[in-house]
């Protein structure tokens, strides 16, 4: 497996320069992973498929979905791509490289774990700040136009928010100066996570059912469907910051009530039998 990856990587660095790989390559990978993972949830919602796993009964209209896609393409090409190009010298100065040898899986996994922890911390505080009255009204309310989120709404936001919260994603790599393949893997995992958190479905195979402290769709969907002053659940991937600062109390109370109702219903069914 390692030899196959090294062969593919050798081809890339032989045919493309660092700037092309770090900027255009990163952009193409991001767009591919984002739309390929996010678009299926639009078709699920329109077709009514797997509706028993849908968190909210309300559906978005086709017009609302198309508006989201149109804005996303505009933001990606006019904000994301220029930022990637402008930040390239910064990452190079911080030690990012694309040459062989490739980093070991141990190094990559350690760095990515560090990125997740740091991103959760920075994102949490940035997200809470965006829920202050002025910033919510003028910036963050764009993201909350979709009270019933679907996968692609994860990156539907005001350009200022894209830059502001995007800092949480890039600060880890900027500090460590990783190999480009580590940066790509981090980007892929982060995109898949945020699409899943906004997908609007809670499946039996969802990571939140198996991975402690992982937020997932049910956790973040609660954040979208409540008023900005009462929502809580500000965390990104893992929810330890909400737990520490008590900003998930409303969500935990709701889950406790749902669990209690479920137990009472089971007990009633047993008695009837």
């Amino acid at each position: 497996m390692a030899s196959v990856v090294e062969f593919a990587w050798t081809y890339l660095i032989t045919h493309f320069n660092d700037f092309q790989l770090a900027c255009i390559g990163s952009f193409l990978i991001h767009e591919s992973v984002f739309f390929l993972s996010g678009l299926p949830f639009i078709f699920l919602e329109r077709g009514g498929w797997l509706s028993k796993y849908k968190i909210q009964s309300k559906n978005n209209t086709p017009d609302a979905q198309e508006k989201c896609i149109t804005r996303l393409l505009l933001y990606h090409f006019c904000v994301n791509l220029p930022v990637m190009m402008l930040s390239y010298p910064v990452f190079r100065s911080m030690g990012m490289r694309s040459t062989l040898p490739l980093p070991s899986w141990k190094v990559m996994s350690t760095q990515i774990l560090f990125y997740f922890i740091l991103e959760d911390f920075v994102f949490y505080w940035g997200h809470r700040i965006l829920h202050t009255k002025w910033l919510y009204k003028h910036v963050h309310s764009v993201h909350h136009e979709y009270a019933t989120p679907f996968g692609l709404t994860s990156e539907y936001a005001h350009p200022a928010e894209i830059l502001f919260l995007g800092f949480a994603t890039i600060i880890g790599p900027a500090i460590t100066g990783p190999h480009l393949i580590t940066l790509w893997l981090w980007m892929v995992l982060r995109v898949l996570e945020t699409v899943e958190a906004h997908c609007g479905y809670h499946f039996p195979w969802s990571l939140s059912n198996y991975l402690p402290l992982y937020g997932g769709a049910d956790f973040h969907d609660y954040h979208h469907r409540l008023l900005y002053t009462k929502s809580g659940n500000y965390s990104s991937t893992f929810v330890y910051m909400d737990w520490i600062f008590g900003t998930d109390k409303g969500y935990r109370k709701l889950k406790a009530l749902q669990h209690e109702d479920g137990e009472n219903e089971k007990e009633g069914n047993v008695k009837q039998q």
Side-chain angles (χ1 to χ4, degrees):
M1 178 64 180
S3 59
V4 174
V5 175
E6 285 187 359
F7 176 81
W9 196 261
T10 301
Y11 177 86
L12 288 175
I13 62 177
T14 303
H15 291 79
F16 303 97
N17 61 43
D18 281 355
F19 179 81
Q20 291 171 328
L21 290 173
C23 299
I24 308 303
S26 297
F27 181 75
L28 292 176
I29 289 172
H30 173 275
E31 296 304 287
S32 300
V33 174
F34 178 70
F35 283 105
L36 286 174
S37 62
L39 281 172
F41 294 106
I42 284 182
F43 300 121
L44 285 180
E45 190 173 59
R46 288 189 181 185
W49 302 312
L50 300 178
S51 57
K52 67 178 180 178
Y53 300 122
K54 198 168 187 303
I55 298 168
Q56 297 187 48
S57 58
K58 180 183 175 183
N59 289 329
N60 292 283
T61 65
D63 286 343
Q65 294 171 337
E66 289 164 13
K67 174 189 172 184
C68 177
I69 294 173
T70 302
R71 292 279 184 89
L72 282 170
L73 290 171
L74 176 66
Y75 293 157
H76 285 183
F77 279 95
C78 296
V79 180
N80 292 17
L81 181 58
V83 167
M84 286 182 179
M85 297 173 72
L86 290 172
S87 61
Y88 171 74
V90 177
F91 278 94
R92 287 287 293 174
S93 67
M94 296 298 287
M96 186 191 73
R97 65 180 182 88
S98 60
T99 55
L100 292 172
L102 296 176
S104 67
W105 283 107
K106 182 178 179 180
V107 170
M108 292 174 66
S109 58
T110 301
Q111 288 182 331
I112 289 174
L113 177 61
F114 170 69
Y115 300 161
F116 269 116
I117 294 171
L118 183 60
E119 196 271 347
D120 277 323
F121 178 83
V122 176
F123 183 95
Y124 174 84
W125 290 112
H127 196 184
R128 281 194 71 171
I129 290 170
L130 286 173
H131 274 262
T132 55
K133 188 174 181 179
W134 191 91
L135 282 174
Y136 183 88
K137 179 180 179 181
H138 296 283
V139 178
H140 194 47
S141 59
V142 174
H143 182 64
H144 279 268
E145 285 178 17
Y146 292 90
T148 306
F150 54 95
L152 296 182
T153 60
S154 56
E155 294 191 4
Y156 180 88
H158 191 286
E161 179 176 343
I162 295 172
L163 297 174
F164 184 58
L165 289 183
F167 175 75
T169 302
I170 66 171
I171 186 173
I175 290 172
T176 62
H179 194 282
L180 182 58
I181 197 171
T182 306
L183 187 63
W184 281 359
L185 181 56
W186 160 240
M187 179 176 63
V188 168
L189 292 175
R190 185 70 185 90
V191 168
L192 291 175
E193 180 279 322
T194 192
V195 167
E196 193 270 339
H198 289 82
C199 74
Y201 291 80
H202 183 71
F203 301 110
W205 56 85
S206 294
L207 274 179
S208 56
N209 293 328
Y210 307 100
L211 195 58
L213 296 179
Y214 183 86
D218 189 63
F219 184 86
H220 194 69
D221 200 277
Y222 176 88
H223 174 81
H224 269 265
R225 66 180 183 263
L226 264 68
L227 290 173
Y228 79 95
T229 54
K230 299 179 180 180
S231 58
N233 290 23
Y234 301 111
S235 294
S236 175
T237 304
F238 297 99
V239 302
Y240 68 93
M241 291 294 289
D242 275 299
W243 180 76
I244 291 172
F245 292 98
T247 44
D248 62 346
K249 287 181 179 178
Y251 174 75
R252 285 191 281 122
K253 183 177 180 180
L254 174 64
K255 300 309 290 184
L257 289 172
Q258 289 175 341
H259 178 74
E260 184 179 332
D261 289 343
E263 291 298 317
N264 289 338
E265 185 177 345
K266 287 180 182 178
E267 187 177 323
N269 291 335
V270 170
K271 288 180 178 179
Q272 288 177 3
Q273 294 174 359

